[in-house]
Amino acid sequence: MPELGVNVDHVATLREARGGKEPDPVRAAVICEQAGCDSIVAHLREDRRHINDVDIRALKKAVRTRFNLEMSINAGIVEIAKRVRPDQATLVPEKRQELTTEGGLSVLKNANRIGRVVEGLRKKSIDVSIFIDPDEREIRAAKDIGAGVIEIHTGRYADAKTKKAMDSEFERIKRSCEFALSLGFIVNAGHGLNYANTKRVARIKDINELNIGHSIISRAAFAGLYRAVRDMKTLCR
Ligand code: PXP
């Protein structure tokens, strides 16, 4: 059974919609842990559109399971990560205009730079995972720079418009996981996973952890809405 990492970015997205203090992603992390998740994920984006520097310091203190900081390889962000020292860092590509991470980090194109970042973070005792596309060449390149953990990008599988496309993306993911496992990697997966498409990925043999955010926070809004209205109604009365 894979472990579950819950990404709390979109609790902060809701907070930023008003620029205030609630909802608090740290409080969300505590509830996720009480509910049995195995790690907490947060992405400190260069534009700070949701999670900010104060959040990651507070998450580092509050998280009891494992704090996995998603981050780009931007030098300023790497320095912050080294100071905060999360349990794990997941390296992702980042573009200012994107709504969310659009694909894996290309190790093939940035091997030297990523290699230096991996080494620098490891020296601070931070485990490093690299988010990559389900592509054998990328997996091999990650091996060549000495990475030990990868997260396979499941976004194209999740976004596939037809069953045929979805099946073919799933096969790519499965083959890539098997290949990465054969090279000795710890293999995680994530992006776009929801209540309809996760089971199939969770069944891939020896997959270590699934990282899921948007669908869980979306479901939480509806799962909690009834109670929230009842509580306000009581207060009005
Ligand atoms: N894994 C990585 C590397 C990501 O960048 C994201 C999005 O922040 C996720 C997992 C979670 O994706 P989603 O919010 O679509 O579940």
Side-chain angles (χ1 to χ4, degrees), residues 5-7 9-10 41-43 45 50 68 70-71 90-93 100-103 129-132 151-155 158 189-194 210-217:
V6 181
N7 180 315
D9 288 354
H10 296 304
V41 189
H43 185 173
R45 293 189 76 100
H50 37 53
N68 177 4
E70 250 183 54
M71 52 181 276
T90 298
L91 306 182
V92 299
T100 181
T101 316
E102 285 170 351
S129 170
I130 308 179
F131 183 57
I132 53 179
E151 178 175 333
I152 298 283
H153 177 229
T154 51
H191 209 280
L193 296 178
N194 61 31
L210 302 179
N211 290 318
I212 307 180
H214 189 265
S215 65
I216 293 179
I217 304 306

Side-chain angles (χ1 to χ4, degrees), residues 63-82:
V63 169
R64 293 281 165 269
T65 52
R66 200 163 21 91
F67 176 32
N68 177 4
L69 178 67
E70 250 183 54
M71 52 181 276
S72 72
I73 54 171
N74 168 287
I77 297 284
V78 172
E79 279 319 302
I80 292 170
K82 285 180 180 167

Side-chain angles (χ1 to χ4, degrees), residues 10-108:
H10 296 304
V11 176
T13 301
L14 200 54
R15 175 191 64 192
E16 294 308 305
R18 284 289 172 94
K21 286 199 157 71
E22 64 175 20
D24 176 11
V26 181
R27 192 160 168 218
V30 172
I31 296 170
C32 294
E33 291 190 320
Q34 286 167 348
C37 79
D38 302 287
S39 69
I40 296 295
V41 189
H43 185 173
L44 182 70
R45 293 189 76 100
E46 289 162 32
D47 63 8
R48 309 295 197 274
R49 67 173 75 157
H50 37 53
I51 293 292
N52 61 37
D53 303 60
V54 173
D55 294 329
I56 61 162
R57 284 197 296 273
L59 284 167
K60 159 79 183 179
K61 275 198 198 138
V63 169
R64 293 281 165 269
T65 52
R66 200 163 21 91
F67 176 32
N68 177 4
L69 178 67
E70 250 183 54
M71 52 181 276
S72 72
I73 54 171
N74 168 287
I77 297 284
V78 172
E79 279 319 302
I80 292 170
K82 285 180 180 167
R83 279 202 298 275
V84 174
R85 297 174 75 168
D87 300 294
Q88 183 181 327
T90 298
L91 306 182
V92 299
E94 199 174 301
K95 289 190 217 127
R96 274 291 148 90
Q97 269 74 36
E98 69 190 359
L99 286 177
T100 181
T101 316
E102 285 170 351
L105 189 60
S106 177
V107 187
L108 277 171

